[in-house]
Amino acid sequence: LLEAISAESIARMDEFGAQEISNTSWAFAILKMRDDTLMESIAAAAQKRLHVFLVLNMTNTLWAFASLSVYNEQLLDALAAAAIAKISAFGSQGISATAWSFAKFSVTNEPLLNALSAAASASISAFAMQNLANTAWAFAKLFLKDTPLLDSISAEAQNKL
């Protein structure tokens, strides 16, 4: 069934909007079904349509690629630039998922990570414990000592205990 869905998705990818692109990548990641041909098609389509992606579309697509360990440098670069442009719309889930995804690939995109750090610091009280943990893990995995951010995460985690 998943092979048929993949084949049909690839054939119709030009018809997919942002929601369909992100939902397809997310669904295959949730099912732990890595299909490199499908993911390549999704990456190409996503890059063409990033200008209409909502934050959720960006983060779900990025998370799916990271979860399936499908590295696509061009997509990561494009998603990083799009995320920076829309960083003010990112909530705690989007911030932590984006940081987690880049860390999973061991990619240190400094402009993106600086934007994520600033956005996280400004909204740290809205972070759930899982978001705090994922963000701290991401910065630690990338060996980034962002003391103000880590201090904010630590203080907020203590407040939530």
Side-chain angles (χ1 to χ4, degrees), residues 7-90:
E8 188 66 20
S9 295
I10 292 167
R12 299 179 69 178
M13 192 61 64
D14 287 341
E15 301 169 26
F16 281 23
Q19 188 71 38
E20 292 83 10
I21 293 168
S22 65
N23 284 357
T24 303
S25 61
W26 178 86
F28 273 74
I30 286 292
L31 296 170
K32 297 180 180 7
M33 174 70 175
R34 181 175 169 156
D35 181 326
D36 288 343
T37 305
L38 174 63
M39 298 308 282
E40 182 179 311
S41 180
I42 288 171
Q47 289 175 73
K48 290 178 190 173
R49 294 176 189 78
L50 271 178
H51 64 283
V52 296
F53 269 44
L54 302 174
V55 170
L56 185 61
N57 304 138
M58 285 189 277
T59 57
N60 281 352
T61 302
L62 180 57
W63 177 87
F65 274 76
S67 293
L68 292 171
S69 298
V70 177
Y71 179 79
N72 184 302
E73 185 175 2
Q74 294 80 17
L75 178 62
L76 289 177
D77 288 346
L79 283 167
I84 292 167
K86 294 183 178 183
I87 198 68
S88 64
F90 274 62

Side-chain angles (χ1 to χ4, degrees), residues 87-146:
I87 198 68
S88 64
F90 274 62
S92 59
Q93 179 68 27
I95 293 167
S96 66
T98 301
W100 179 89
S101 297
F102 273 80
K104 181 110 173 13
F105 287 124
S106 298
V107 171
T108 305
N109 182 306
E110 288 188 34
L112 173 63
L113 293 166
N114 289 337
L116 291 171
S117 174
S121 295
S123 62
I124 203 74
S125 64
F127 276 53
M129 287 296 278
Q130 187 67 52
N131 302 135
L132 294 170
N134 287 351
T135 304
W137 175 85
F139 277 76
K141 179 156 187 329
L142 293 171
F143 301 101
L144 297 174
K145 187 175 180 185
D146 186 332

